[in-house]
Amino acid sequence: MKKAAKIALAVFGALALLLLLCFINHQVQLRRESKWFVPLGTLVEVDGRQMSVYTQGGGAETLVFLSGSGTCSPILDFKALYSQLGGYQIAVPERFGYGFSDVTDLSKDLDTVLEQTRAALAAAGLEPPYVLCPHSMSGLEAVYWAQQYPDEVQAIIGLDMSTPAAYEEMTISAPLLRLLQFGGAVGLTRFIPGLSDSAAIQSGALSEDEQNVYRAIFYRRTMTDDMVNEALCVKDNAKAVAGGGMPQVPFLLFCSDGSGGTGFSKEDWRAIQAGFAAECWDAQLIELDCGHYIHDFEYERIAAEIKDFLNR
């Protein structure tokens, strides 16, 4: 028993030392990367904190890009797509805990998140109506926005957006989320090859400097408190949207093959998307043979379809 205890103590001590060394390395790297962590957009005050909003261009329609869960740098993640959309006003608000926005412990219910987004856009000098372009989980916010403020939403362009049905059977593991958060906080993520090379980097749309910025953000915004809390709230948020009825706005829905982050098979994911489209007042569904981050893979086709949709 004494020998077993000594072995266990030695193993525990070795692990603790490795974690300490990992954390020290992480802090050193964060300092080195700080030169890249410079806001790309404007910082505006929302609920006493700083929220990042990126704007570009101008035009009759304002396209508001809303990121999915865990997308650490929304501004750079959407760049491949919005760079193809000259002639439109582009806006990318970064929720708290994302990109250059502050990390907070604020509520993640849809009412709170929506009011923060609206306040950020107003503070950045943008006025509705908006064309909402949500990816993944932010599809819930977009639909809720149209339910609560129908005069502010001109249309919704779903970039493989999630719908309430996608969360009905989903299991959210708080311990797993906290474990992933711990791994990011101590810097374990730095030792996983290619982890920071997101679809945005793989798309080839980012310059070398922008790739460095993306990685600097990634190691600062991996499973933040905001990301964890919104994941824990998502099932309740989905129920709120499901109970609000279908908004009377036109939808242009792009659907992936389900790979790369949905958690569903191709058949099940497309069935969910088709079921939602069938319930819409006016919807066009376009299926794409690529992964979940469709705006980083098929951005040229998506941009062309968006222009055609808005012209019509």
Side-chain angles (χ1 to χ4, degrees):
M1 291 296 293
K2 290 183 178 180
K3 184 177 180 179
K6 288 180 179 180
I7 293 174
L9 185 61
V11 171
F12 177 80
L15 288 175
L17 178 59
L18 287 174
L19 288 175
L20 177 60
L21 293 175
C22 182
F23 178 73
I24 292 172
N25 173 69
H26 183 47
Q27 296 305 308
V28 170
Q29 297 301 326
L30 288 177
R31 292 192 191 95
R32 290 177 178 174
E33 295 161 354
S34 61
K35 64 181 179 181
W36 300 109
F37 193 69
V38 179
L40 297 174
T42 301
L43 295 179
V44 298
E45 184 173 328
V46 176
D47 288 344
R49 278 84 165 179
Q50 296 293 299
M51 184 176 283
S52 166
V53 181
Y54 175 81
T55 59
Q56 172 184 299
E61 286 91 6
T62 298
L63 278 58
V64 178
F65 290 85
L66 304 171
S67 71
S69 175
T71 303
C72 66
S73 178
I75 293 173
L76 293 177
D77 179 60
F78 286 120
K79 186 186 176 186
L81 178 54
Y82 64 65
S83 295
Q84 304 286 318
L85 295 169
Y88 299 100
Q89 174 69 64
I90 301 299
V92 187
E94 297 188 307
R95 297 192 299 278
F96 287 128
Y98 288 77
F100 299 101
S101 296
D102 287 346
V103 176
T104 76
D105 58 357
L106 299 175
S107 173
K108 292 301 170 183
D109 66 275
L110 276 179
D111 286 302
T112 301
V113 172
L114 175 56
E115 293 311 313
Q116 289 168 349
T117 302
R118 295 176 68 243
L121 293 174
L126 301 174
E127 297 180 353
Y130 306 118
V131 176
L132 304 181
C133 304
H135 172 241
S136 196
M137 186 191 70
S138 63
L140 297 178
E141 181 182 357
V143 175
Y144 193 70
W145 197 332
Q147 290 171 341
Q148 301 302 310
Y149 301 98
D151 294 339
E152 294 186 5
V153 180
Q154 184 177 352
I156 295 177
I157 298 173
L159 302 172
D160 213 34
M161 73 179 217
S162 293
T163 66
Y167 298 100
E168 290 178 357
E169 304 299 328
M170 183 176 289
T171 300
I172 307 296
S173 172
L176 178 59
L177 292 174
R178 295 300 181 188
L179 180 61
L180 294 173
Q181 184 179 42
F182 175 77
V186 300
L188 289 172
T189 50
R190 292 184 180 273
F191 298 94
I192 303 177
L195 185 62
S196 64
D197 291 344
S198 66
I201 291 178
Q202 296 171 29
S203 72
L206 302 183
S207 67
E208 185 176 347
D209 283 352
E210 287 170 335
Q211 292 180 35
N212 288 329
V213 173
Y214 192 101
R215 293 186 179 100
I217 296 171
F218 176 83
Y219 291 118
R220 285 167 169 78
R221 297 291 185 266
T222 299
M223 293 307 293
T224 61
D225 286 340
D226 296 274
M227 293 176 183
V228 171
N229 291 336
E230 71 183 7
L232 296 176
C233 287
V234 71
K235 289 180 73 71
D236 288 337
N237 286 340
K239 290 178 182 178
V241 173
M246 189 61 69
Q248 301 295 296
V249 298
F251 284 82
L252 174 61
L253 301 171
F254 295 96
C255 176
S256 75
D257 61 13
S259 65
T262 69
F264 291 89
S265 67
K266 178 179 179 178
E267 293 74 19
D268 289 344
W269 181 246
R270 289 191 169 176
I272 290 172
Q273 296 283 321
F276 180 82
E279 296 178 2
C280 291
W281 167 71
D282 178 10
Q284 177 184 358
L285 177 63
I286 298 175
E287 295 181 345
L288 302 172
D289 292 320
C290 63
H292 186 43
Y293 280 77
I294 57 173
H295 48 280
D296 288 316
F297 299 116
E298 294 281 358
Y299 52 89
E300 291 182 344
R301 180 183 175 185
I302 292 172
E305 296 284 1
I306 287 175
K307 292 175 183 177
D308 183 59
F309 172 72
L310 294 178
N311 287 336
R312 288 188 283 108

